[in-house]
Amino acid sequence: METAKPIVRVQNLHKYFGRLHVLRDISFEVYPREVVCLIGRSGSGKSTLLRCINFLEEPTAGTVEVNGVVVHAKERGSDRDERVRKIRTSAGMVFQEFNLFPHMSVIDNIIEAPVGVKGMPRDQAIAIGEKFLAKVGLMEKRNEYPARLSGGQKQRVAIARALTMEPKVMLFDEPTSALDPELIGEVLNVMNELAHEGTTMMVVTHEMGFAREAANRIIFIDGGGFAEEGPPEQFFTSPKDPRTRQFLQRLLSGEEGRGKRK
């Protein structure tokens, strides 16, 4: 993995919201087929980091590179906008909320971006969309509207929608946090399958069972910086930073049973 070229490279990233310093000098790389889980307390900067990678939030300083396309925080202009567009097509995003268009069927939701952003012919987009809809187990919902879907089904459609863009990396921002407990497992099953198939993923999550099973690397973010980073076996059994140990003790005491659910 170390000899491959990274899919994501972030260097010296800072993000301020007004005077609030949310991300502090973040640098890291994500390699092909790697699954990186970001964990931390609410407000630690996890989701903001993901959103800076595909420029849903503008970094205040630093450099973001995705699939060889580089954008510096202070750049402006049409060339920079085109590079941001390329990064967004390479980095598929799955949000806490599903963000499906309520007036469009499932298949039309899925093909909207490939047709509208990539200029893909509709028939080709439908074929790709149906492939990923089948992957998430929802081909029978192809012509349904979002109002007729459960929360878990909506999130699986959102995953299929992101995959239909054929991104180089999938960014998941707490994809199960808006779901009822009984629906979380069906989304985690899809994500586990993607991980085992070699999909490059960055996942903000509180689901420790998923992190243990699927991650190659876990990063604990605290106060806008990386407090701890390592493989799951080291992270969970012998964390080095006392902030990590405290966080895990608090989280696992309440989440152990839920995290083991498949």
Side-chain angles (χ1 to χ4, degrees):
M1 187 174 292
E2 289 73 19
T3 60
K5 184 177 180 181
I7 297 293
V8 177
R9 177 185 282 128
V10 171
Q11 294 178 297
N12 307 117
L13 184 73
H14 292 262
K15 175 62 180 178
Y16 284 85
F17 289 110
R19 299 176 66 180
L20 182 63
H21 199 178
V22 179
L23 296 174
R24 301 171 181 265
D25 200 23
I26 298 288
S27 296
F28 69 97
E29 296 174 340
V30 179
Y31 288 86
R33 304 178 67 86
E34 191 176 19
V35 177
V36 177
C37 284
L38 304 172
I39 68 173
R41 297 175 181 85
S42 296
S44 60
K46 312 179 300 297
S47 295
T48 300
L49 177 56
L50 278 199
R51 293 173 69 86
C52 283
I53 290 172
N54 70 353
F55 291 87
L56 291 173
E57 295 287 354
E58 288 286 341
T60 306
T63 303
V64 174
E65 178 181 346
V66 179
N67 196 33
V69 178
V70 181
V71 176
H72 303 285
K74 300 297 186 182
E75 285 187 280
R76 294 295 181 265
S78 59
D79 178 66
R80 182 260 191 199
D81 293 344
E82 175 61 20
R83 279 179 278 130
V84 168
R85 188 194 69 81
K86 288 180 179 179
I87 282 178
R88 286 174 175 164
T89 62
S90 296
M93 188 87 173
V94 178
F95 301 90
Q96 297 176 33
E97 301 293 341
F98 324 116
N99 295 335
L100 300 178
F101 294 112
H103 63 288
M104 297 169 63
S105 68
V106 163
I107 192 65
D108 284 336
N109 265 281
I110 286 173
I111 69 170
E112 175 72 11
V115 173
V117 177
K118 281 189 169 182
M120 187 181 293
R122 181 178 171 85
D123 289 349
Q124 181 184 348
I126 288 174
I128 296 171
E130 287 179 341
K131 177 180 77 172
F132 289 114
L133 200 54
K135 174 177 282 295
V136 301
L138 288 175
M139 264 298 285
E140 77 281 2
K141 302 295 185 182
R142 180 191 186 282
N143 297 314
E144 294 282 8
Y145 286 80
R148 295 178 60 87
L149 303 179
S150 70
Q153 289 170 339
K154 290 176 184 176
Q155 194 61 292
R156 284 189 282 155
V157 170
I159 293 171
R161 177 181 58 185
L163 290 168
T164 301
M165 287 291 282
E166 300 181 305
K168 296 296 184 180
V169 58
M170 289 283 287
L171 309 177
F172 292 86
D173 184 10
E174 298 194 49
T176 60
S177 66
L179 300 178
D180 293 333
E182 65 270 19
L183 301 177
I184 290 172
E186 65 187 66
V187 174
L188 292 180
N189 286 341
V190 170
M191 293 172 63
N192 263 310
E193 183 178 346
L194 292 174
H196 292 314
E197 290 174 355
T199 304
T200 308
M201 299 163 63
M202 291 187 67
V203 185
V204 172
T205 186
H206 291 291
E207 296 290 340
M208 296 298 103
F210 172 82
R212 277 197 190 95
E213 180 174 344
N216 302 105
R217 183 162 39 120
I218 299 175
I219 298 171
F220 176 59
I221 301 181
D222 187 70
F226 289 0
E228 184 122 13
E229 185 174 356
E233 57 271 21
Q234 177 254 303
F235 187 88
F236 286 110
T237 60
S238 55
K240 298 180 176 65
D241 193 288
R243 293 171 294 175
T244 311
R245 291 195 292 271
Q246 182 185 34
F247 175 82
L248 289 174
Q249 287 168 2
R250 182 182 62 81
L251 186 69
L252 294 175
S253 65
E255 303 258 338
E256 187 69 25
R258 179 176 133 184
K260 288 180 178 178
R261 186 176 50 232
K262 300 295 182 188

